[in-house]
Amino acid sequence: MNVFVFPGQGSQFPGMGKELYSNSKSAKELFDKADQILGFSLSKIMFEGTDEDLKKTKVTQPAIFVHSIAKLQEQDPKIKPDFVAGHSLGEFSALVANKTIKFEDGLKLVSARANAMQKACENNHGSMAAILGLDDKTIINECEKFNKYVVAANLNCPGQVVVSGEFEAIKEICILFNNIGAKRSIQLNVSGAFHSELMNDAKKELKEFINSIEFHEPTCPIFQNVTGNGVVDKSEIKNNLIDQMVSPVKWSESVVNMINLGAKNFTEIGPGKVLCGLIRKINRNVHVDSAG
């Protein structure tokens, strides 16, 4: 069984998509369409912008989404996914792949989500950190006991969890995790506390916008971050997308559940190879490939 997986924020890089734009007519049309929908030249920032330009949430998210869909168009049309999944933002790319939403609507959604998250970041000074070498349960328990607001935000693979919360709390809890045996605790260069209650305002904004978008019957299940399970019901998909803003990304659980249902071949579609690495750490017996 084949699975298409799509990366999230953090997989961007300067010059992303430039080669695709030059070599593929369909990619060029997609990038031009995206610039038109957004009302600014996203492609110019992707092709010529600095690392700093690309780190702005309102740029990063549409850039990764458009790049992923351009790469999706390049896939062999005979190979259809049995399941799809995306890491955080990647869920929107996955929903285009299984025909739940059209590219144009997906881009509008991603842009609205990014702008809402940017605003929430400006209103609440938050941060995130990757904790390496401790098990999920230990990290979750320590976050719950901590005297400031911190939560486990991304359960990525065995030995890698990202925590999210107030800026000072993240700095302090990194020291705590190092003291109880973490291999490393790395504060991430992100603008806010994604997948935490500090994104509540963004969740409300996305909920309003998401109801204006038409969702179709998916061609295959999407394994969503909020539950880690396969979903085909349109209403459930919508609700999970909204809840994802403040809920942990259960990536490890999603991959395990797909493998248990017979998934054997995983293809990462989009910039970078982050998900390939995570999937290999979750299960070394499946075939993992990148179309980035």
Side-chain angles (χ1 to χ4, degrees), residues 131-144 151-152 155 159-163 173 177:
I131 314 302
L132 309 179
L134 290 175
D135 65 272
D136 295 5
K137 201 170 180 185
T138 299
I139 291 170
I140 291 164
N141 288 345
E142 291 301 330
C143 287
E144 285 173 354
V151 292
L155 306 164
Q160 189 193 119
V161 173
V162 174
V163 295
I173 207 165
F177 285 131

Side-chain angles (χ1 to χ4, degrees), residues 7-291:
Q9 207 157 330
S11 58
Q12 71 277 2
F13 60 90
M16 61 189 287
K18 194 173 183 179
E19 205 178 310
L20 260 174
Y21 187 89
S22 304
N23 299 333
S24 164
K25 189 187 170 199
S26 63
K28 183 183 184 302
E29 285 171 0
L30 198 78
F31 282 111
D32 290 346
K33 192 186 280 184
D35 289 351
Q36 200 178 353
I37 290 167
L38 294 170
F40 67 91
S41 185
L42 176 70
S43 56
K44 189 176 171 62
I45 301 169
M46 289 170 73
F47 305 160
E48 299 168 22
T50 63
D51 201 30
E52 215 47 52
D53 295 331
L54 278 168
K55 274 181 189 157
K56 292 170 185 159
T57 301
K58 65 180 183 182
V59 171
T60 315
Q61 295 195 19
I64 292 166
F65 174 78
V66 174
H67 189 282
S68 296
I69 303 308
K71 273 291 178 190
L72 177 67
Q73 287 184 164
E74 302 293 300
Q75 298 307 296
D76 183 343
K78 293 189 201 104
I79 299 170
K80 306 280 186 201
D82 297 290
F83 304 136
V84 295
H87 192 286
S88 188
L89 161 73
E91 274 200 351
F92 293 85
S93 309
L95 287 170
V96 175
N98 75 353
K99 315 280 194 228
T100 304
I101 53 176
K102 291 177 181 170
F103 165 75
E104 295 83 353
D105 289 336
L107 182 58
K108 288 172 192 168
L109 262 178
V110 165
S111 180
R113 178 185 191 261
N115 287 326
M117 287 169 82
Q118 186 104 28
K119 260 193 271 175
C121 292
E122 286 158 11
N123 294 337
N124 298 294
H125 192 34
S127 186
M128 300 177 85
I131 314 302
L132 309 179
L134 290 175
D135 65 272
D136 295 5
K137 201 170 180 185
T138 299
I139 291 170
I140 291 164
N141 288 345
E142 291 301 330
C143 287
E144 285 173 354
K145 288 192 296 186
F146 203 61
N147 60 355
K148 291 179 181 170
Y149 181 69
V150 186
V151 292
N154 298 349
L155 306 164
N156 284 335
C157 68
Q160 189 193 119
V161 173
V162 174
V163 295
S164 184
E166 294 160 356
F167 190 83
E168 288 304 318
I170 293 294
K171 284 204 310 198
E172 289 171 28
I173 207 165
C174 281
I175 297 164
L176 182 147
F177 285 131
N178 288 338
N179 289 338
I180 63 168
K183 285 179 188 168
R184 283 175 80 198
S185 298
I186 310 151
Q187 195 149 358
L188 303 179
N189 187 9
V190 293
S191 54
F194 304 138
H195 301 289
S196 80
E197 294 292 333
L198 297 180
M199 288 289 121
N200 250 327
D201 290 347
K203 178 187 170 180
K204 285 173 195 159
E205 263 194 62
L206 183 70
K207 186 176 181 178
E208 277 180 38
F209 193 85
I210 218 165
N211 289 324
S212 69
I213 299 292
E214 189 180 358
F215 279 57
H216 306 274
E217 293 298 326
T219 55
C220 68
I222 176 169
F223 280 70
Q224 289 192 279
N225 296 172
V226 172
T227 63
N229 296 320
V231 185
V232 290
D233 179 77
K234 289 185 292 184
S235 301
E236 198 179 336
I237 288 170
K238 273 189 187 185
N239 290 334
N240 286 340
L241 280 180
I242 295 160
D243 289 343
Q244 190 219 71
M245 297 288 271
V246 296
S247 304
V249 173
K250 296 180 179 176
W251 185 252
S252 197
E253 195 176 325
S254 299
V255 172
V256 168
N257 286 341
M258 286 187 276
I259 292 167
N260 287 342
L261 288 169
K264 286 186 170 57
N265 300 300
F266 288 79
T267 304
E268 180 172 4
I269 300 172
K273 297 179 182 178
V274 172
L275 300 183
C276 287
L278 296 181
I279 294 164
R280 285 190 188 105
K281 285 175 184 165
I282 294 164
N283 189 314
R284 294 216 167 265
N285 298 319
V286 294
H287 180 260
V288 182
D289 199 9
S290 165

